Amino acid sequence: MSALTVRALSAGYSRLPVVSDIDLDAQPGAVTAIVGPNGAGKSTLLKAVMGILRPMSGSVLLGDRDVTGWESHRVARAGMGYVPQVGNVFPSMSVVENLEMGAFTRKGGIKERMNEVLAMFPDLQAAARRPAGVLSGGQRNMLGMARALMLDPQVLLLDEPTAGLAPMYVGRIWDRVQAIAASGTSVVVVEQNVDLALDHADWAYILIAGRNFAQGPADEIRRADLAAIFLGQAPQQGAVGL
């Protein structure tokens, strides 16, 4: 069973959809990349899946639970984490306090889970008592990921986790993404750096103008003429392969 199943999902910010009829499956323990040109609707898709935007049509299943149209806090409680590109930490709070906030619905075992999460992020472990606002951009993105993991999500949605980071942190972020997937969590990543995404993902989707263009194993997607596809110079292929 897929950890996340999206079918015919349409969503936007007014009466006109930004994404239309999107299908997506994400498997447990795998990294699923969503790539496409600017304006393709990648971030909008994640927001609709998480419940930040209410879908206009279609369905979102978390495991076998239909969470379509749920408010985002209910989706989080059901087992989905989300890390936005910006505003992903509480700057005035320490690393530990941010992680405590991430455990907002956890009934017990907060200290134990925090120790587990910090062990996955050595950069944060060394800065556990520092305010999040003084961390580097890479450390803040790691903290956003770590905070989302405090609720043991089945699915973790990451929106541009390496955007604007120094090269030394880009590799660390992707190492953590793969470690999270190896723990059994399904990780869905929107990434503007297509080469990086395909290097680290198991499966990939290409979005063009708010619609599925193609999907497949990441190494197969890499062999496509992505430059032509992104520039609209390739024929429409549909959502079942190249």
XYZ file of all heavy atoms in Angstrom, residues 139-198:
451
model
N 21.169 24.741 8.804
C 20.762 24.234 10.114
C 19.285 24.487 10.373
O 18.592 23.649 10.962
C 21.620 24.872 11.202
C 23.064 24.389 11.200
C 23.940 25.183 12.143
O 23.763 26.399 12.308
N 24.897 24.527 12.771
N 18.789 25.651 9.943
C 17.356 25.933 10.126
C 16.504 24.940 9.326
O 15.471 24.468 9.808
C 17.031 27.370 9.716
C 17.520 28.410 10.702
C 16.863 29.760 10.476
N 17.194 30.324 9.179
C 18.251 31.087 8.945
N 19.097 31.362 9.927
N 18.488 31.577 7.747
N 16.927 24.618 8.106
C 16.174 23.647 7.322
C 16.215 22.269 7.975
O 15.217 21.535 7.973
C 16.723 23.580 5.902
C 16.318 24.782 5.072
O 15.696 25.720 5.586
N 16.667 24.780 3.797
N 17.358 21.912 8.521
C 17.439 20.647 9.249
C 16.502 20.648 10.448
O 15.846 19.647 10.754
C 18.877 20.393 9.707
C 19.844 20.058 8.595
S 21.500 19.721 9.271
C 22.481 19.741 7.767
N 16.443 21.802 11.145
C 15.573 21.897 12.311
C 14.109 21.767 11.896
O 13.316 21.122 12.593
C 15.812 23.219 13.041
C 14.945 23.476 14.281
C 15.049 22.338 15.280
C 15.346 24.804 14.933
N 13.738 22.366 10.757
C 12.372 22.194 10.269
C 12.047 20.739 10.018
O 10.955 20.247 10.363
N 12.979 20.012 9.431
C 12.784 18.588 9.195
C 12.699 17.819 10.505
O 11.826 16.960 10.687
C 13.925 18.049 8.331
C 13.952 18.610 6.920
S 15.544 18.373 6.068
C 15.685 16.601 6.065
N 13.608 18.140 11.419
C 13.632 17.440 12.704
C 12.336 17.678 13.475
O 11.794 16.754 14.096
C 14.836 17.911 13.522
N 11.862 18.905 13.458
C 10.616 19.212 14.176
C 9.448 18.417 13.609
O 8.618 17.882 14.348
C 10.324 20.714 14.094
C 9.209 21.160 15.043
C 8.965 22.636 14.928
N 8.393 22.975 13.638
C 8.367 24.204 13.135
N 8.904 25.204 13.803
N 7.808 24.441 11.967
N 9.394 18.313 12.268
C 8.314 17.536 11.652
C 8.394 16.061 12.017
O 7.368 15.372 12.072
C 8.362 17.707 10.137
N 9.600 15.569 12.287
C 9.772 14.151 12.624
C 9.354 13.828 14.061
O 9.240 12.643 14.407
C 11.225 13.739 12.423
C 11.715 13.683 10.979
C 13.204 13.385 10.944
C 10.948 12.620 10.190
N 9.117 14.835 14.877
C 8.765 14.587 16.273
C 7.455 13.811 16.424
O 7.220 13.187 17.455
C 8.695 15.904 17.044
C 10.046 16.529 17.336
S 11.103 15.523 18.400
C 10.162 15.527 19.939
N 6.609 13.838 15.395
C 5.335 13.114 15.460
C 5.385 11.788 14.704
O 4.338 11.200 14.416
C 4.193 13.984 14.921
C 3.803 15.184 15.781
C 2.668 15.964 15.134
C 3.397 14.735 17.186
N 6.588 11.308 14.387
C 6.736 10.032 13.679
C 5.847 9.959 12.445
O 5.023 9.049 12.309
C 6.402 8.851 14.593
C 7.275 8.813 15.833
O 8.466 8.539 15.690
O 6.748 9.061 16.942
N 5.970 10.895 11.509
C 5.047 10.902 10.367
C 5.258 9.708 9.447
O 6.377 9.213 9.278
C 5.406 12.210 9.644
C 6.850 12.435 9.983
C 6.995 11.960 11.404
N 4.157 9.261 8.848
C 4.246 8.258 7.784
C 4.823 8.884 6.517
O 5.528 8.233 5.759
C 2.856 7.711 7.450
C 2.161 6.945 8.540
C 0.726 6.644 8.130
O -0.215 7.098 8.768
N 0.553 5.905 7.067
N 4.446 10.149 6.297
C 4.843 10.879 5.093
C 5.412 12.224 5.513
O 4.839 12.908 6.362
C 3.642 11.089 4.147
C 4.043 11.933 2.936
C 3.064 9.754 3.690
N 6.544 12.600 4.909
C 7.144 13.905 5.162
C 7.233 14.651 3.837
O 7.852 14.185 2.881
C 8.543 13.742 5.760
C 9.315 15.036 6.068
C 8.570 15.879 7.102
C 10.730 14.718 6.555
N 6.603 15.831 3.780
C 6.620 16.685 2.598
C 7.649 17.784 2.794
O 7.597 18.524 3.779
C 5.242 17.321 2.375
C 4.017 16.400 2.371
C 2.738 17.226 2.200
C 4.122 15.344 1.291
N 8.579 17.909 1.848
C 9.636 18.913 1.931
C 9.566 19.822 0.714
O 9.651 19.352 -0.419
C 11.018 18.249 1.982
C 11.280 17.254 3.116
C 12.667 16.639 2.962
C 11.144 17.939 4.472
N 9.450 21.121 0.962
C 9.363 22.088 -0.128
C 10.692 22.828 -0.269
O 11.044 23.654 0.570
C 8.224 23.079 0.146
C 7.896 23.941 -1.071
O 8.558 23.770 -2.117
O 6.981 24.773 -0.981
N 11.441 22.502 -1.304
C 12.714 23.156 -1.626
C 13.669 23.182 -0.426
O 14.106 24.249 0.027
C 12.459 24.597 -2.100
C 11.591 24.696 -3.341
C 12.382 24.556 -4.630
O 13.565 24.207 -4.564
O 11.799 24.796 -5.692
N 14.027 22.022 0.123
C 14.839 22.011 1.348
C 16.259 22.524 1.167
O 16.916 22.839 2.166
C 14.850 20.527 1.744
C 14.631 19.792 0.459
C 13.686 20.661 -0.324
N 16.762 22.619 -0.073
C 18.136 23.094 -0.267
C 18.202 24.473 -0.913
O 19.289 24.943 -1.245
C 18.944 22.108 -1.139
O 18.411 22.102 -2.474
C 18.895 20.697 -0.569
N 17.071 25.132 -1.093
C 17.056 26.428 -1.780
C 17.919 27.455 -1.053
O 17.769 27.689 0.152
C 15.626 26.952 -1.898
N 18.842 28.069 -1.771
C 19.657 29.139 -1.235
C 20.750 28.728 -0.275
O 21.383 29.588 0.348
N 21.000 27.430 -0.141
C 21.988 26.969 0.820
C 23.392 26.926 0.221
O 23.559 26.710 -0.978
C 21.627 25.573 1.337
C 20.319 25.429 2.101
C 20.214 24.022 2.671
C 20.185 26.468 3.195
N 24.389 27.081 1.094
C 25.778 26.887 0.684
C 25.981 25.427 0.309
O 25.332 24.533 0.882
C 26.711 27.275 1.819
N 26.860 25.155 -0.655
C 27.072 23.773 -1.109
C 27.373 22.788 0.018
O 26.958 21.629 -0.039
C 28.260 23.907 -2.068
C 28.166 25.301 -2.594
C 27.649 26.118 -1.445
N 28.091 23.231 1.071
C 28.431 22.306 2.148
C 27.187 21.765 2.847
O 27.208 20.650 3.398
C 29.341 22.994 3.177
C 28.690 24.134 3.934
S 29.756 24.832 5.232
C 29.729 23.506 6.427
N 26.083 22.547 2.841
C 24.869 22.086 3.504
C 23.943 21.310 2.578
O 23.125 20.519 3.039
C 24.107 23.265 4.126
C 24.635 23.643 5.482
C 25.319 24.826 5.681
C 24.450 22.795 6.572
C 25.814 25.165 6.932
C 24.935 23.131 7.818
C 25.623 24.304 7.997
O 26.112 24.626 9.236
N 24.066 21.523 1.284
C 23.191 20.831 0.349
C 23.358 19.316 0.477
O 22.385 18.566 0.580
C 23.460 21.290 -1.100
C 22.716 20.398 -2.091
C 23.033 22.748 -1.276
N 24.599 18.862 0.482
C 24.849 17.430 0.623
C 24.354 16.889 1.950
O 23.818 15.778 2.014
N 24.523 17.665 3.018
C 24.059 17.215 4.344
C 22.540 17.067 4.376
O 22.018 16.120 4.968
C 24.509 18.200 5.417
C 26.008 18.258 5.637
C 26.340 19.156 6.813
N 27.739 19.549 6.800
C 28.286 20.359 7.695
N 27.527 20.868 8.666
N 29.565 20.683 7.629
N 21.852 18.027 3.766
C 20.388 17.947 3.741
C 19.941 16.677 3.023
O 19.082 15.926 3.512
C 19.787 19.192 3.051
C 19.995 20.450 3.907
C 18.305 18.978 2.735
C 19.125 20.519 5.143
N 20.533 16.413 1.853
C 20.127 15.209 1.112
C 20.517 13.935 1.847
O 19.798 12.929 1.783
C 20.696 15.248 -0.299
C 19.836 16.046 -1.226
C 20.102 17.269 -1.766
C 18.538 15.686 -1.703
N 19.065 17.687 -2.552
C 18.085 16.736 -2.533
C 17.715 14.586 -1.514
C 16.846 16.703 -3.167
C 16.473 14.549 -2.136
C 16.050 15.604 -2.954
N 21.633 13.935 2.550
C 21.984 12.780 3.377
C 20.907 12.519 4.417
O 20.518 11.362 4.660
C 23.327 13.020 4.079
C 24.517 12.905 3.147
O 24.350 12.379 2.026
O 25.628 13.346 3.551
N 20.395 13.597 5.021
C 19.351 13.448 6.035
C 18.046 12.978 5.400
O 17.319 12.174 5.986
C 19.131 14.771 6.777
C 20.296 15.271 7.613
C 20.768 14.235 8.630
N 21.774 13.345 8.099
C 22.013 12.113 8.523
N 21.287 11.578 9.482
N 22.974 11.379 7.999
N 17.739 13.486 4.221
C 16.522 13.047 3.520
C 16.567 11.541 3.297
O 15.593 10.819 3.556
C 16.367 13.793 2.176
C 15.282 13.149 1.319
C 16.043 15.266 2.426
N 17.703 11.054 2.818
C 17.810 9.629 2.553
C 17.800 8.814 3.846
O 17.250 7.708 3.877
C 19.059 9.349 1.732
C 18.952 9.895 0.301
C 20.104 9.463 -0.582
O 21.259 9.676 -0.237
N 19.779 8.880 -1.725
N 18.366 9.351 4.922
C 18.337 8.656 6.208
C 16.909 8.565 6.744
O 16.511 7.533 7.316
C 19.235 9.367 7.221
N 16.138 9.630 6.557
C 14.739 9.613 6.996
C 13.962 8.553 6.227
O 13.189 7.778 6.804
C 14.111 11.009 6.812
C 14.743 12.004 7.792
C 12.591 10.958 7.016
C 14.442 13.456 7.466
N 14.163 8.492 4.921
C 13.488 7.471 4.126
C 13.912 6.071 4.551
O 13.083 5.154 4.641
C 13.764 7.695 2.640
N 15.196 5.892 4.845
C 15.699 4.583 5.258
C 15.060 4.114 6.566
O 14.991 2.906 6.829
C 17.217 4.626 5.394
N 14.572 5.070 7.373
C 13.905 4.709 8.622
C 12.475 4.226 8.394
O 11.809 3.795 9.337
C 13.892 5.909 9.576
O 12.963 6.898 9.152
N 11.989 4.306 7.146
C 10.658 3.817 6.814
C 9.663 4.898 6.445
O 8.561 4.595 5.974
N 10.029 6.159 6.631
C 9.140 7.268 6.289
C 9.140 7.491 4.773
O 10.172 7.375 4.126
C 9.600 8.549 6.997
O 9.584 8.332 8.407
C 8.699 9.736 6.667
N 8.001 7.805 4.234
C 7.900 8.207 2.836
C 8.212 9.696 2.745
O 7.569 10.503 3.414
C 6.495 7.937 2.303
O 6.350 8.426 0.993
N 9.214 10.058 1.939
C 9.623 11.457 1.818
C 9.284 11.954 0.419
O 9.713 11.368 -0.576
C 11.126 11.645 2.083
C 11.487 13.129 2.060
C 11.529 11.017 3.421
N 8.509 13.025 0.345
C 8.132 13.644 -0.927
C 8.804 15.006 -0.973
O 8.567 15.854 -0.107
C 6.601 13.787 -1.051
C 6.230 14.438 -2.381
C 5.923 12.423 -0.918
N 9.652 15.224 -1.982
C 10.487 16.415 -2.044
C 10.212 17.208 -3.312
O 10.311 16.668 -4.419
C 11.990 16.058 -2.011
C 12.839 17.327 -1.935
C 12.309 15.132 -0.858
N 9.861 18.475 -3.152
C 9.872 19.431 -4.265
C 11.263 20.038 -4.308
O 11.745 20.549 -3.294
C 8.805 20.518 -4.074
C 9.090 21.721 -4.963
C 7.420 19.960 -4.362
N 11.920 19.963 -5.460
C 13.299 20.428 -5.560
C 13.522 21.089 -6.909
O 13.205 20.516 -7.952
C 14.249 19.240 -5.384
C 15.718 19.565 -5.561
C 16.225 20.611 -4.586
O 16.427 20.290 -3.398
O 16.408 21.767 -5.032
N 14.061 22.319 -6.871
C 14.329 23.053 -8.105
C 15.589 22.550 -8.799
O 15.704 22.616 -10.018
C 14.464 24.546 -7.808
C 14.335 25.448 -9.032
C 12.963 25.368 -9.693
O 11.957 25.207 -9.019
N 12.925 25.461 -11.012
N 16.539 22.048 -8.010
C 17.753 21.480 -8.589
C 17.446 20.057 -9.050
O 17.489 19.108 -8.269
C 18.903 21.495 -7.577
C 20.233 21.116 -8.193
O 20.307 20.201 -9.008
N 21.285 21.806 -7.792
N 17.123 19.925 -10.317
C 16.629 18.649 -10.839
C 17.688 17.558 -10.736
O 17.387 16.416 -10.375
C 16.155 18.823 -12.298
C 15.704 17.489 -12.870
C 15.025 19.846 -12.359
N 18.937 17.890 -11.053
C 19.997 16.883 -10.991
C 20.133 16.311 -9.588
O 20.246 15.092 -9.403
C 21.330 17.485 -11.438
C 21.387 17.734 -12.942
O 20.615 17.089 -13.677
O 22.186 18.584 -13.368
N 20.126 17.187 -8.577
C 20.218 16.716 -7.199
C 19.037 15.829 -6.839
O 19.197 14.783 -6.205
C 20.260 17.915 -6.245
C 21.614 18.547 -5.951
C 21.429 19.769 -5.070
C 22.541 17.542 -5.277
N 17.845 16.262 -7.220
C 16.655 15.489 -6.900
C 16.725 14.091 -7.496
O 16.448 13.087 -6.830
C 15.411 16.220 -7.400
N 17.104 14.000 -8.765
C 17.139 12.706 -9.436
C 18.300 11.845 -8.956
O 18.230 10.611 -9.020
C 17.202 12.908 -10.947
C 15.997 13.652 -11.553
C 16.143 13.768 -13.059
C 14.680 12.956 -11.194
